[in-house]
């Protein structure tokens, strides 16, 4: 039986090797990714990737629970982390605790992730005190951008760099077990990653990060509405699926599918 990744074994990877992370929203995809990934993120990017929304802000608690449950069914060894959706935790630490508790209890996930820096110290502190493992997320915060055009790389000025460093320190001090660093200019991201005592996971950040994460549908060339600069397509599923569907259409129209071998026959006619 494969060994299940825990928060402790995940954090221990910081001193061992690079950490491999991807998003997952369904049981079949989670099953495919599970043996290759240390962490699977049930990201609020599901709102864009699967539901066709313009931003991640359309994700809600029932959506995240539903997809987290699916991913848990397909996972045996990766650590499963779930995004708290926009609007479900920012108001108060108590709101964050209520949301995180509901998602953890109803999905069985291993941890949650939320977006933001030092302003969320009280929220994260309360979650950790109640036994909920928390992953942080600093830099570019998709939940704050209403459209792709509003995504902006951070850390370009001395003030932004200082704020990012302060955010990292604040999150570590209140007990996050890891931090996603998104869309941070390379020299600044490198400095933060090197200084951080918990694993840093980059997405459009530095190679100095302890690991990397991408949206799986971007990485395999399935979601092509837009391709962020930080994405490398390791596959081309979109044209492969298009070719398959085109062949299926042709076979249905010309009558070559279904064939006799795809039908059910009385035993006497076999």
């Amino acid at each position: 039986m494969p060994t299940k990744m825990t928060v402790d074994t995940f954090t221990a990877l910081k001193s061992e090797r690079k950490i491999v992370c991807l998003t997952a929203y369904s049981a079949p995809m989670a099953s495919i990714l599970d043996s290759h990934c240390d962490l699977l993120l049930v990201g609020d990017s599901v709102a864009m990737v699967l539901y066709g929304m313009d931003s991640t802000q359309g994700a809600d608690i029932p959506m995240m629970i539903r997809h987290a449950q699916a991913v848990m069914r397909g996972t045996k060894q990766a650590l499963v982390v779930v995004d708290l959706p926009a609007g479900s935790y920012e108001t108060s630490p108590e709101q964050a605790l209520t949301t995180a508790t509901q998602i953890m209890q109803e999905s069985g996930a291993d941890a949650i992730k939320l977006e933001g820096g030092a302003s969320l110290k009280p929220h994260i502190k309360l979650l950790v005190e109640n036994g909920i493992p928390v992953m942080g997320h600093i830099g570019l915060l998709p939940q704050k951008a209403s459209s792709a055009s509003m995504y902006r790389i951070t850390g370009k000025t001395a003030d932004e760099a200082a704020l990012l460093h302060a955010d990292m320190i604040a999150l570590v001090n209140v007990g996050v077990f890891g931090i996603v660093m998104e869309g941070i200019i390379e020299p600044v991201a490198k400095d933060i990653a090197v200084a951080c005592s918990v694993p840093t996971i980059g997405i459009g950040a530095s190679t100095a990060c302890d690991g990397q994460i991408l949206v799986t549908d971007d990485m395999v060339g399935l979601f092509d509405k837009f391709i962020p600069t930080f994405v490398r397509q390791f596959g081309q599923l979109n044209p492969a699926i298009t070719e398959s569907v085109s062949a299926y259409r042709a076979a249905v129209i010309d009558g070559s599918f279904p064939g006799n071998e795809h039908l059910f026959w009385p035993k006497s006619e076999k």
Side-chain angles (χ1 to χ4, degrees):
M1 289 290 291
T3 302
K4 170 68 178 175
M5 182 74 68
T6 67
V7 168
D8 288 341
T9 53
F10 176 86
T11 56
L13 291 175
K14 180 177 176 70
S15 60
E16 296 178 5
R17 60 165 172 80
K18 292 292 188 178
I19 301 169
V20 181
C21 313
L22 284 169
T23 61
Y25 317 117
S26 69
M29 184 62 80
S31 181
I32 293 170
L33 302 177
D34 187 40
S35 63
H36 303 284
C37 294
D38 304 304
L39 180 150
L40 292 178
L41 174 65
V42 186
D44 55 7
S45 50
V46 65
M48 302 174 71
V49 175
L50 294 191
Y51 290 87
M53 298 179 184
D54 292 330
S55 74
T56 64
Q57 295 175 13
D60 57 21
I61 295 171
M63 182 188 294
M64 300 311 300
I65 290 173
R66 188 164 57 247
H67 289 281
Q69 290 171 338
V71 169
M72 289 300 295
R73 294 185 191 108
T75 304
K76 294 181 179 179
Q77 59 191 67
L79 191 75
V80 177
V81 180
V82 186
D83 272 335
L84 298 192
S88 73
Y89 63 92
E90 301 94 325
T91 301
S92 68
E94 292 73 24
Q95 182 199 29
L97 179 60
T98 297
T99 300
T101 300
Q102 180 184 0
I103 289 176
M104 293 281 287
Q105 289 181 346
E106 294 189 26
S107 70
D110 301 306
I112 62 93
K113 180 173 76 66
L114 41 72
E115 294 183 9
S119 64
L120 291 178
K121 283 176 60 178
H123 305 61
I124 297 170
K125 184 174 185 292
L126 184 61
L127 295 179
V128 172
E129 288 175 346
N130 280 271
I132 297 176
V134 179
M135 175 169 264
H137 184 145
I138 64 174
L140 191 160
L141 306 177
Q143 291 182 358
K144 304 295 189 293
S146 59
S147 67
S149 63
M150 294 181 64
Y151 285 28
R152 191 179 71 82
I153 304 305
T154 62
K156 292 182 177 180
T157 68
D159 286 345
E160 286 182 352
L163 285 173
L164 289 167
H165 275 274
D167 284 341
M168 179 272 288
I169 293 170
L171 296 188
V172 171
N173 285 344
V174 289
V176 298
F177 70 86
I179 300 176
V180 170
M181 296 170 48
E182 180 169 0
I184 302 174
I185 197 167
E186 168 59 27
V188 174
K190 180 179 180 179
D191 288 346
I192 294 171
V194 170
C196 189
S197 60
V198 300
T200 53
I201 306 300
I203 176 168
S206 176
T207 57
C209 287
D210 299 295
Q212 298 293 324
I213 188 167
L214 287 174
V215 172
T216 299
D217 297 65
D218 290 340
M219 185 272 294
V220 299
L222 185 58
F223 182 77
D224 63 352
K225 189 173 182 180
F226 62 91
I227 303 174
T229 301
F230 54 73
V231 170
R232 175 180 170 185
Q233 290 187 326
F234 287 80
Q236 288 290 326
L237 291 193
N238 195 307
I241 292 173
T242 299
E243 182 179 353
S244 298
V245 174
S246 177
Y248 167 73
R249 171 184 168 84
V252 170
I253 290 175
D254 67 22
S256 61
F257 178 83
N260 288 341
E261 69 274 22
H262 304 118
L263 305 177
F264 299 96
W265 297 87
K267 290 183 179 181
S268 60
E269 296 186 26
K270 282 190 175 181

